[in-house]
Every structure is written in C-alpha cells, then in structure tokens.
Amino acid sequence: LVKGGNVSIRGYIMGEAMVSDVPFETGAGTVSGIPVSSFRGQAVQGMSGSPVIQEDQLVGIQFGGSESRIDAVTVEQIQNFLSQGDVIGSAE
C-alpha cells in the first residue's frame, strides 16, 4: 500500500454497485487482535469482504470500520494468516 495514495473499495449493497475512493491513512492498528490498515472514509454496512484496490492491484479486503474509518486486512496480512493456519487451530 502506498501511504497517502487513494484506494478504491468496490462492492454491492442490496444489488447496487458501490465504489468508495478513499485515501490510505495508516498501516497500524488492530481490531479484535487482528492487524488492520485504516482508510479515511465512512464504512458502509454490508461492504465487509469487499476488495481494496490500489493502482489496479488487489491490496486488501475490507474488514469493518466506523463513521470516519474503514478497516481492511492487507494481502500480506492474509498471506501471513494462511501460512500459520496450523497454529490457529485444526479441524481434528
């Protein structure tokens, strides 16, 4: 993610396409112990799981947020989580 650069969050709310273009604000933070990146803007309920795109590349997935902040997990954070899957728990 390029700090200060804009990202585009794209999804569907009640069947309608929605695009939020917001600036990348900070790479630090956690939500329920999960590292997140934050973007300035209003999170829209129902957009969780939407792709976060910067310079035509997927850089993360929206995770949550508030009236003034949108939280997302980055591709790197997702890759780290997946590579540690056996540490998190097992289906046994």
Side-chain angles (χ1 to χ4, degrees):
L1 281 167
V2 177
K3 192 168 185 169
N6 283 344
V7 297
S8 181
I9 302 171
R10 302 174 186 178
Y12 289 89
I13 301 294
M14 312 249 315
E16 295 292 322
M18 177 172 223
V19 177
S20 296
D21 291 317
V22 296
F24 174 51
E25 194 169 80
T26 177
T30 61
V31 173
S32 301
I34 299 168
V36 298
S37 296
S38 294
F39 306 91
R40 198 175 6 199
Q42 182 175 3
V44 177
Q45 186 175 3
M47 291 283 283
S48 292
S50 294
V52 178
I53 299 167
Q54 188 175 56
E55 298 176 2
D56 294 325
Q57 292 196 347
L58 177 70
V59 295
I61 302 294
Q62 183 175 331
F63 182 82
S66 67
E67 290 183 12
S68 61
R69 186 187 79 249
I70 300 167
D71 296 324
V73 291
T74 65
V75 169
E76 292 81 14
Q77 292 162 332
I78 294 167
Q79 289 170 331
N80 288 339
F81 172 80
L82 293 174
S83 71
Q84 298 174 17
D86 59 337
V87 174
I88 296 164
S90 67
E92 294 179 30

Coordinates of all heavy atoms in Angstrom, one line a residue:
L1 N 0.8 -1.2 0.0 CA 0.0 0.0 0.0 C 0.9 1.2 0.0 O 1.8 1.3 0.7 CB -0.9 0.0 1.3 CG -2.1 -0.8 1.3 CD1 -2.7 -0.9 2.7 CD2 -3.1 -0.3 0.3
V2 N 0.5 2.2 -0.8 CA 1.2 3.5 -0.9 C 0.5 4.5 0.1 O -0.6 4.8 -0.2 CB 1.3 4.0 -2.3 CG1 2.0 5.4 -2.3 CG2 1.9 3.0 -3.2
K3 N 1.2 4.9 1.2 CA 0.6 5.8 2.1 C 0.3 7.1 1.4 O 1.2 7.6 0.7 CB 1.5 6.0 3.3 CG 0.8 6.7 4.5 CD 1.6 6.6 5.7 CE 0.8 7.2 6.8 NZ 1.4 6.9 8.1
G4 N -0.8 7.7 1.7 CA -1.2 8.9 1.1 C -1.9 8.7 -0.3 O -2.6 9.6 -0.8
G5 N -1.8 7.5 -0.9 CA -2.4 7.2 -2.1 C -3.9 6.8 -1.9 O -4.2 6.4 -0.8
N6 N -4.7 7.0 -2.9 CA -6.1 6.6 -2.8 C -6.2 5.1 -3.1 O -5.4 4.5 -3.8 CB -6.9 7.4 -3.8 CG -7.2 8.8 -3.3 OD1 -7.0 9.1 -2.2 ND2 -7.6 9.6 -4.2
V7 N -7.2 4.5 -2.5 CA -7.7 3.1 -2.8 C -9.1 3.2 -3.2 O -9.8 4.1 -2.9 CB -7.5 2.2 -1.6 CG1 -6.0 2.1 -1.2 CG2 -8.3 2.6 -0.4
S8 N -9.5 2.1 -3.8 CA -10.9 2.0 -4.3 C -11.5 0.7 -3.6 O -10.9 -0.3 -3.7 CB -11.0 1.9 -5.8 OG -12.3 1.8 -6.2
I9 N -12.6 0.9 -2.9 CA -13.3 -0.3 -2.3 C -14.5 -0.5 -3.1 O -15.4 0.4 -3.2 CB -13.5 0.0 -0.8 CG1 -12.2 0.3 -0.1 CG2 -14.3 -1.2 -0.2 CD1 -12.4 0.8 1.3
R10 N -14.7 -1.7 -3.7 CA -15.8 -1.9 -4.6 C -16.6 -3.1 -4.1 O -16.1 -4.2 -3.7 CB -15.2 -2.3 -6.0 CG -14.4 -1.1 -6.5 CD -13.7 -1.5 -7.8 NE -12.8 -0.5 -8.2 CZ -12.1 -0.5 -9.3 NH1 -12.1 -1.6 -10.0 NH2 -11.3 0.5 -9.5
G11 N -17.9 -2.9 -4.1 CA -18.8 -4.0 -3.6 C -20.2 -3.7 -4.1 O -20.5 -2.8 -4.8
Y12 N -21.1 -4.5 -3.5 CA -22.6 -4.4 -3.8 C -23.4 -4.3 -2.5 O -23.1 -5.1 -1.6 CB -23.1 -5.6 -4.6 CG -22.5 -5.6 -6.0 CD1 -21.3 -6.2 -6.3 CD2 -23.2 -5.0 -7.1 CE1 -20.8 -6.2 -7.6 CE2 -22.8 -5.0 -8.3 CZ -21.6 -5.6 -8.6 OH -21.1 -5.6 -9.9
I13 N -24.3 -3.4 -2.5 CA -25.2 -3.2 -1.4 C -26.6 -3.3 -1.9 O -27.0 -2.5 -2.8 CB -25.0 -1.8 -0.7 CG1 -23.6 -1.6 -0.1 CG2 -26.0 -1.6 0.5 CD1 -23.2 -2.6 1.0
M14 N -27.3 -4.3 -1.5 CA -28.7 -4.6 -1.9 C -28.8 -4.6 -3.4 O -29.7 -4.0 -4.0 CB -29.6 -3.5 -1.3 CG -29.4 -3.3 0.2 SD -30.7 -3.9 1.3 CE -32.2 -3.4 0.8
G15 N -27.8 -5.3 -4.1 CA -27.8 -5.4 -5.5 C -27.3 -4.2 -6.3 O -27.3 -4.3 -7.5
E16 N -26.9 -3.1 -5.6 CA -26.4 -1.9 -6.3 C -24.9 -1.9 -6.1 O -24.4 -2.0 -5.0 CB -27.1 -0.7 -5.7 CG -28.6 -0.6 -5.9 CD -28.9 -0.4 -7.4 OE1 -28.2 0.3 -8.1 OE2 -29.9 -1.0 -7.8
A17 N -24.2 -1.6 -7.2 CA -22.8 -1.4 -7.2 C -22.4 -0.2 -6.4 O -23.1 0.8 -6.5 CB -22.2 -1.4 -8.6
M18 N -21.4 -0.3 -5.6 CA -20.9 0.8 -4.8 C -19.4 0.9 -4.9 O -18.7 -0.1 -4.8 CB -21.4 0.7 -3.4 CG -20.9 1.8 -2.5 SD -21.6 1.7 -0.9 CE -22.0 3.4 -0.6
V19 N -18.8 2.1 -5.1 CA -17.4 2.3 -5.1 C -17.1 3.4 -4.1 O -17.7 4.5 -4.2 CB -16.9 2.7 -6.5 CG1 -15.4 3.0 -6.5 CG2 -17.2 1.6 -7.5
S20 N -16.1 3.2 -3.2 CA -15.7 4.2 -2.3 C -14.2 4.5 -2.6 O -13.4 3.5 -2.5 CB -15.8 3.7 -0.8 OG -17.1 3.6 -0.5
D21 N -13.9 5.7 -3.1 CA -12.5 6.1 -3.3 C -12.0 6.9 -2.1 O -12.6 7.9 -1.8 CB -12.4 6.9 -4.6 CG -12.6 6.1 -5.8 OD1 -12.1 4.9 -5.9 OD2 -13.4 6.5 -6.7
V22 N -11.1 6.3 -1.3 CA -10.6 6.9 -0.1 C -9.1 6.9 0.0 O -8.5 6.0 -0.6 CB -11.3 6.2 1.1 CG1 -12.8 6.4 1.1 CG2 -10.9 4.8 1.2
P23 N -8.5 7.9 0.8 CA -7.1 7.9 0.9 C -6.6 6.9 2.0 O -7.3 6.6 3.0 CB -6.8 9.3 1.4 CG -8.0 9.8 2.0 CD -9.1 9.1 1.3
F24 N -5.5 6.2 1.8 CA -4.8 5.4 2.8 C -4.3 6.2 3.9 O -3.6 7.2 3.6 CB -3.7 4.6 2.1 CG -2.9 3.7 3.1 CD1 -3.5 2.9 3.9 CD2 -1.5 3.8 3.1 CE1 -2.8 2.1 4.8 CE2 -0.8 3.0 3.9 CZ -1.4 2.2 4.8
E25 N -4.7 5.9 5.1 CA -4.3 6.7 6.2 C -3.2 6.2 7.1 O -2.2 6.8 7.4 CB -5.6 6.9 7.1 CG -5.5 8.0 8.1 CD -6.9 8.3 8.7 OE1 -7.3 7.6 9.6 OE2 -7.5 9.3 8.2
T26 N -3.3 4.9 7.6 CA -2.3 4.4 8.5 C -2.2 2.9 8.3 O -3.2 2.2 8.0 CB -2.6 4.7 9.9 OG1 -1.6 4.1 10.7 CG2 -4.0 4.2 10.4
G27 N -1.1 2.3 8.5 CA -0.9 0.9 8.4 C -0.9 0.2 9.7 O -0.8 -1.0 9.8
A28 N -1.1 0.9 10.8 CA -1.0 0.4 12.1 C -2.4 0.3 12.8 O -3.2 1.2 12.6 CB -0.1 1.2 13.0
G29 N -2.6 -0.7 13.5 CA -3.9 -0.9 14.3 C -4.3 -2.3 14.3 O -3.8 -3.2 13.6
T30 N -5.2 -2.6 15.3 CA -5.8 -3.9 15.4 C -7.3 -3.8 15.7 O -7.7 -2.8 16.3 CB -5.1 -4.7 16.6 OG1 -5.3 -4.0 17.8 CG2 -3.6 -4.9 16.3
V31 N -8.0 -4.8 15.3 CA -9.4 -5.0 15.6 C -9.5 -6.4 16.1 O -9.2 -7.4 15.4 CB -10.3 -4.7 14.4 CG1 -11.7 -5.1 14.7 CG2 -10.2 -3.3 13.9
S32 N -9.9 -6.6 17.3 CA -10.0 -7.9 18.0 C -8.8 -8.7 17.8 O -8.8 -9.9 17.6 CB -11.2 -8.7 17.4 OG -12.4 -8.0 17.6
G33 N -7.6 -8.0 18.0 CA -6.3 -8.7 17.9 C -5.8 -8.9 16.5 O -4.7 -9.5 16.3
I34 N -6.6 -8.6 15.5 CA -6.2 -8.8 14.1 C -5.6 -7.5 13.5 O -6.2 -6.4 13.6 CB -7.4 -9.2 13.2 CG1 -8.0 -10.5 13.7 CG2 -7.1 -9.3 11.8 CD1 -9.3 -10.8 13.2
P35 N -4.4 -7.5 13.0 CA -3.8 -6.3 12.4 C -4.6 -5.8 11.2 O -5.0 -6.6 10.4 CB -2.4 -6.7 12.0 CG -2.2 -8.2 12.4 CD -3.5 -8.7 12.8
V36 N -4.8 -4.5 11.2 CA -5.6 -3.9 10.1 C -4.9 -2.7 9.6 O -4.1 -2.0 10.3 CB -7.1 -3.6 10.5 CG1 -7.8 -4.8 10.9 CG2 -7.1 -2.6 11.6
S37 N -5.2 -2.3 8.4 CA -4.8 -1.0 7.9 C -6.1 -0.1 7.8 O -7.2 -0.7 7.7 CB -4.3 -1.1 6.4 OG -3.1 -1.9 6.4
S38 N -5.9 1.2 8.0 CA -7.1 2.1 8.1 C -7.1 3.1 6.9 O -6.1 3.5 6.5 CB -7.2 2.8 9.4 OG -7.4 1.9 10.4
F39 N -8.3 3.4 6.5 CA -8.5 4.4 5.4 C -9.5 5.4 5.9 O -10.4 5.1 6.7 CB -9.1 3.7 4.2 CG -8.2 2.5 3.7 CD1 -8.5 1.3 4.2 CD2 -7.1 2.7 2.9 CE1 -7.7 0.2 3.8 CE2 -6.3 1.7 2.5 CZ -6.6 0.4 3.0
R40 N -9.3 6.6 5.5 CA -10.2 7.7 5.9 C -11.5 7.6 5.1 O -11.4 7.4 3.9 CB -9.6 9.1 5.7 CG -10.2 10.2 6.4 CD -9.4 11.5 6.2 NE -8.4 11.1 5.2 CZ -7.2 11.8 5.1 NH1 -7.0 12.9 5.7 NH2 -6.3 11.5 4.2
G41 N -12.6 7.6 5.7 CA -13.9 7.5 5.0 C -14.9 6.8 5.8 O -14.6 6.2 6.9
Q42 N -16.1 6.7 5.4 CA -17.2 6.1 6.2 C -17.4 4.7 5.7 O -17.6 4.4 4.5 CB -18.5 6.9 6.0 CG -19.6 6.3 6.8 CD -20.9 7.1 6.8 OE1 -20.9 8.1 6.1 NE2 -21.9 6.7 7.5
A43 N -17.2 3.7 6.6 CA -17.5 2.3 6.3 C -19.0 2.2 6.1 O -19.8 2.7 6.8 CB -17.0 1.4 7.5
V44 N -19.3 1.4 5.1 CA -20.7 1.1 4.8 C -21.1 -0.3 5.2 O -20.4 -1.2 4.8 CB -21.0 1.3 3.3 CG1 -22.4 1.0 2.9 CG2 -20.6 2.7 2.8
Q45 N -22.1 -0.4 6.0 CA -22.5 -1.8 6.5 C -22.9 -2.6 5.3 O -23.6 -2.2 4.4 CB -23.7 -1.6 7.4 CG -24.1 -3.0 8.0 CD -25.2 -2.8 9.1 OE1 -25.7 -1.7 9.3 NE2 -25.6 -3.9 9.7
G46 N -22.3 -3.8 5.3 CA -22.5 -4.7 4.1 C -21.4 -4.8 3.2 O -21.4 -5.6 2.3
M47 N -20.4 -3.9 3.3 CA -19.2 -3.9 2.4 C -18.1 -4.7 2.9 O -17.1 -4.9 2.2 CB -18.8 -2.5 2.2 CG -19.7 -1.6 1.3 SD -19.7 -2.0 -0.4 CE -18.2 -1.1 -0.9
S48 N -18.2 -5.3 4.1 CA -17.1 -6.2 4.6 C -16.9 -7.3 3.6 O -17.9 -7.9 3.0 CB -17.5 -6.8 5.9 OG -17.5 -5.8 6.9
G49 N -15.6 -7.6 3.3 CA -15.3 -8.6 2.3 C -15.0 -8.1 1.0 O -14.6 -8.8 0.1
S50 N -15.3 -6.7 0.8 CA -15.1 -6.1 -0.5 C -13.6 -5.9 -0.8 O -12.8 -5.7 0.2 CB -15.7 -4.7 -0.5 OG -17.1 -4.9 -0.5
P51 N -13.2 -6.0 -2.0 CA -11.8 -5.8 -2.4 C -11.3 -4.4 -2.2 O -12.1 -3.5 -2.5 CB -11.7 -6.3 -3.8 CG -13.1 -6.1 -4.4 CD -14.0 -6.3 -3.2
V52 N -10.1 -4.2 -1.7 CA -9.5 -2.9 -1.7 C -8.4 -2.9 -2.8 O -7.5 -3.7 -2.8 CB -8.8 -2.6 -0.3 CG1 -8.2 -1.3 -0.3 CG2 -9.9 -2.7 0.8
I53 N -8.6 -1.9 -3.7 CA -7.7 -1.9 -4.9 C -6.9 -0.6 -4.9 O -7.5 0.5 -4.7 CB -8.6 -2.0 -6.2 CG1 -9.3 -3.4 -6.1 CG2 -7.8 -1.9 -7.4 CD1 -10.4 -3.5 -7.1
Q54 N -5.6 -0.7 -5.2 CA -4.8 0.5 -5.4 C -4.0 0.3 -6.7 O -3.3 -0.8 -6.8 CB -3.9 0.7 -4.2 CG -3.1 2.0 -4.2 CD -2.4 2.2 -3.0 OE1 -1.5 1.4 -2.6 NE2 -2.6 3.4 -2.3
E55 N -4.0 1.2 -7.6 CA -3.2 1.2 -8.8 C -3.5 -0.2 -9.6 O -2.6 -0.9 -10.0 CB -1.7 1.3 -8.5 CG -1.4 2.7 -8.0 CD 0.1 2.9 -7.6 OE1 0.9 1.9 -7.8 OE2 0.4 3.9 -7.1
D56 N -4.8 -0.5 -9.6 CA -5.3 -1.7 -10.4 C -4.8 -3.0 -9.8 O -4.8 -4.0 -10.5 CB -5.0 -1.6 -11.9 CG -5.7 -0.4 -12.5 OD1 -6.8 -0.2 -12.2 OD2 -5.1 0.2 -13.5
Q57 N -4.4 -3.0 -8.5 CA -4.0 -4.3 -7.9 C -4.8 -4.4 -6.6 O -5.0 -3.5 -5.8 CB -2.5 -4.3 -7.6 CG -1.7 -4.3 -8.8 CD -0.2 -4.7 -8.5 OE1 0.2 -4.7 -7.4 NE2 0.5 -5.0 -9.5
L58 N -5.1 -5.7 -6.3 CA -5.7 -6.0 -5.0 C -4.7 -5.8 -3.9 O -3.6 -6.4 -3.9 CB -6.2 -7.5 -5.0 CG -6.9 -8.0 -3.7 CD1 -8.2 -7.3 -3.5 CD2 -7.0 -9.5 -3.8
V59 N -5.0 -5.0 -2.9 CA -4.1 -4.8 -1.8 C -4.7 -5.2 -0.5 O -4.0 -5.2 0.5 CB -3.6 -3.3 -1.7 CG1 -2.8 -2.9 -3.0 CG2 -4.8 -2.4 -1.6
G60 N -6.0 -5.5 -0.4 CA -6.6 -5.9 0.8 C -8.1 -6.3 0.7 O -8.6 -6.2 -0.4
I61 N -8.7 -6.6 1.8 CA -10.1 -6.9 1.9 C -10.7 -6.1 3.1 O -10.1 -6.1 4.2 CB -10.3 -8.4 2.2 CG1 -9.7 -9.3 1.1 CG2 -11.8 -8.7 2.4 CD1 -10.3 -9.1 -0.2
Q62 N -11.8 -5.4 2.8 CA -12.4 -4.6 3.9 C -12.8 -5.5 5.0 O -13.4 -6.6 4.8 CB -13.6 -3.8 3.3 CG -14.2 -2.9 4.5 CD -15.3 -2.0 4.0 OE1 -15.4 -1.6 2.8 NE2 -16.3 -1.7 4.9
F63 N -12.6 -5.0 6.2 CA -12.8 -5.8 7.4 C -13.9 -5.2 8.3 O -14.6 -5.9 9.0 CB -11.5 -5.9 8.2 CG -11.6 -6.8 9.4 CD1 -11.5 -8.1 9.3 CD2 -11.7 -6.2 10.7 CE1 -11.5 -8.9 10.5 CE2 -11.7 -6.9 11.8 CZ -11.6 -8.3 11.7
G64 N -14.1 -3.9 8.3 CA -15.0 -3.3 9.2 C -14.8 -1.8 9.1 O -14.2 -1.3 8.2
G65 N -15.1 -1.1 10.2 CA -14.9 0.3 10.3 C -15.9 1.1 11.1 O -16.6 0.5 11.9
S66 N -16.0 2.4 10.9 CA -16.8 3.3 11.6 C -17.3 4.4 10.7 O -17.1 4.3 9.5 CB -16.1 3.8 12.9 OG -15.1 4.7 12.4
E67 N -17.9 5.4 11.3 CA -18.3 6.6 10.5 C -17.2 7.4 9.9 O -17.4 8.2 9.0 CB -19.2 7.5 11.4 CG -20.6 6.8 11.7 CD -21.5 7.8 12.5 OE1 -21.2 9.0 12.6 OE2 -22.5 7.3 13.0
S68 N -16.0 7.2 10.5 CA -14.9 8.0 9.9 C -13.7 7.2 9.5 O -12.7 7.7 9.1 CB -14.4 9.0 11.0 OG -13.9 8.3 12.2
R69 N -13.8 5.9 9.6 CA -12.6 5.0 9.3 C -13.1 3.7 8.6 O -14.1 3.1 9.0 CB -11.9 4.7 10.6 CG -10.6 3.9 10.5 CD -10.1 3.5 11.8 NE -10.8 2.3 12.3 CZ -11.6 2.3 13.3 NH1 -11.9 3.4 14.0 NH2 -12.3 1.2 13.7
I70 N -12.3 3.2 7.7 CA -12.6 1.9 7.0 C -11.4 1.1 7.4 O -10.2 1.5 7.1 CB -12.8 2.1 5.5 CG1 -13.9 3.0 5.2 CG2 -12.9 0.7 4.9 CD1 -14.0 3.5 3.8
D71 N -11.6 -0.1 7.9 CA -10.5 -1.0 8.3 C -10.4 -2.1 7.2 O -11.5 -2.6 6.7 CB -10.7 -1.7 9.6 CG -10.7 -0.6 10.8 OD1 -9.9 0.3 10.7 OD2 -11.4 -0.8 11.7
A72 N -9.2 -2.6 6.9 CA -9.0 -3.6 5.9 C -7.8 -4.5 6.4 O -6.9 -4.0 7.0 CB -8.8 -3.1 4.6
V73 N -7.8 -5.7 6.0 CA -6.6 -6.6 6.1 C -5.9 -6.5 4.8 O -6.5 -6.6 3.8 CB -7.0 -8.0 6.6 CG1 -7.5 -8.0 8.0 CG2 -8.0 -8.7 5.7
T74 N -4.6 -6.4 4.8 CA -3.8 -6.4 3.6 C -3.6 -7.8 3.1 O -3.7 -8.8 3.8 CB -2.5 -5.7 3.8 OG1 -1.7 -6.5 4.7 CG2 -2.6 -4.3 4.4
V75 N -3.2 -7.8 1.8 CA -2.8 -9.1 1.2 C -1.7 -9.8 2.0 O -1.8 -11.0 2.3 CB -2.4 -8.9 -0.3 CG1 -1.8 -10.2 -0.9 CG2 -3.6 -8.5 -1.1
E76 N -0.7 -9.0 2.5 CA 0.4 -9.6 3.2 C -0.2 -10.2 4.6 O 0.3 -11.3 5.0 CB 1.4 -8.5 3.5 CG 2.2 -8.1 2.3 CD 1.4 -7.0 1.5 OE1 0.4 -6.5 2.0 OE2 1.8 -6.9 0.3
Q77 N -1.1 -9.5 5.2 CA -1.7 -10.0 6.5 C -2.4 -11.3 6.2 O -2.4 -12.2 7.0 CB -2.6 -8.9 7.1 CG -1.8 -7.7 7.6 CD -2.6 -6.5 7.8 OE1 -3.6 -6.3 7.2 NE2 -2.2 -5.6 8.7
I78 N -3.2 -11.4 5.1 CA -3.9 -12.6 4.8 C -2.9 -13.7 4.5 O -3.1 -14.8 5.0 CB -4.8 -12.3 3.6 CG1 -5.9 -11.3 3.9 CG2 -5.4 -13.6 3.1 CD1 -6.7 -10.8 2.7
Q79 N -1.9 -13.5 3.8 CA -0.9 -14.5 3.5 C -0.2 -15.0 4.8 O 0.0 -16.2 4.9 CB 0.2 -14.0 2.5 CG -0.3 -13.8 1.1 CD 0.6 -13.1 0.2 OE1 1.4 -12.2 0.6 NE2 0.5 -13.4 -1.1
N80 N 0.1 -14.1 5.7 CA 0.7 -14.5 7.0 C -0.3 -15.4 7.8 O 0.1 -16.4 8.3 CB 1.1 -13.3 7.8 CG 2.3 -12.6 7.3 OD1 3.1 -13.2 6.5 ND2 2.5 -11.3 7.6
F81 N -1.5 -15.0 7.8 CA -2.6 -15.8 8.5 C -2.7 -17.2 7.9 O -2.7 -18.2 8.6 CB -3.9 -15.0 8.4 CG -5.1 -15.8 8.9 CD1 -5.3 -15.9 10.2 CD2 -5.9 -16.5 8.0 CE1 -6.4 -16.7 10.7 CE2 -7.0 -17.3 8.5 CZ -7.2 -17.3 9.9
L82 N -2.7 -17.3 6.6 CA -2.9 -18.6 5.9 C -1.7 -19.5 6.1 O -1.8 -20.7 6.3 CB -3.1 -18.4 4.4 CG -4.5 -17.7 4.1 CD1 -4.6 -17.5 2.6 CD2 -5.6 -18.6 4.6
S83 N -0.5 -18.9 6.2 CA 0.7 -19.7 6.4 C 0.9 -20.2 7.8 O 1.6 -21.1 8.1 CB 2.0 -18.9 6.0 OG 2.2 -17.9 6.9
Q84 N 0.1 -19.6 8.7 CA 0.2 -20.0 10.1 C -1.1 -20.8 10.5 O -1.4 -20.9 11.7 CB 0.3 -18.8 11.0 CG 1.6 -18.0 10.8 CD 1.6 -16.7 11.6 OE1 0.9 -16.6 12.5 NE2 2.5 -15.8 11.2
G85 N -1.8 -21.3 9.5 CA -3.1 -21.9 9.8 C -3.1 -23.0 10.9 O -3.9 -23.2 11.7
D86 N -2.0 -23.8 10.9 CA -1.9 -24.9 11.8 C -1.7 -24.4 13.2 O -1.9 -25.1 14.2 CB -0.8 -25.9 11.5 CG 0.6 -25.3 11.4 OD1 0.7 -24.1 11.2 OD2 1.6 -26.0 11.5
V87 N -1.2 -23.1 13.4 CA -1.0 -22.5 14.7 C -2.4 -22.1 15.3 O -2.6 -22.1 16.5 CB -0.1 -21.3 14.6 CG1 0.0 -20.6 15.9 CG2 1.3 -21.8 14.1
I88 N -3.3 -21.7 14.4 CA -4.5 -21.1 14.8 C -5.5 -22.2 15.3 O -6.2 -22.0 16.3 CB -5.2 -20.4 13.6 CG1 -4.3 -19.2 13.3 CG2 -6.6 -19.9 14.0 CD1 -4.6 -18.6 11.9
G89 N -5.5 -23.4 14.8 CA -6.3 -24.4 15.2 C -6.5 -25.5 14.1 O -6.0 -25.3 13.0
S90 N -7.1 -26.6 14.5 CA -7.2 -27.6 13.5 C -8.7 -28.1 13.6 O -9.4 -27.9 14.5 CB -6.2 -28.7 13.7 OG -6.5 -29.4 14.9
A91 N -9.0 -28.9 12.5 CA -10.4 -29.4 12.4 C -10.5 -30.8 13.1 O -11.5 -31.4 13.1 CB -10.8 -29.5 11.0
E92 N -9.4 -31.2 13.7 CA -9.5 -32.5 14.4 C -10.3 -32.5 15.7 O -10.4 -31.7 16.4 CB -8.0 -33.0 14.7 CG -7.2 -33.2 13.5 CD -5.8 -33.6 13.8 OE1 -5.6 -34.2 14.9 OE2 -4.9 -33.3 13.0

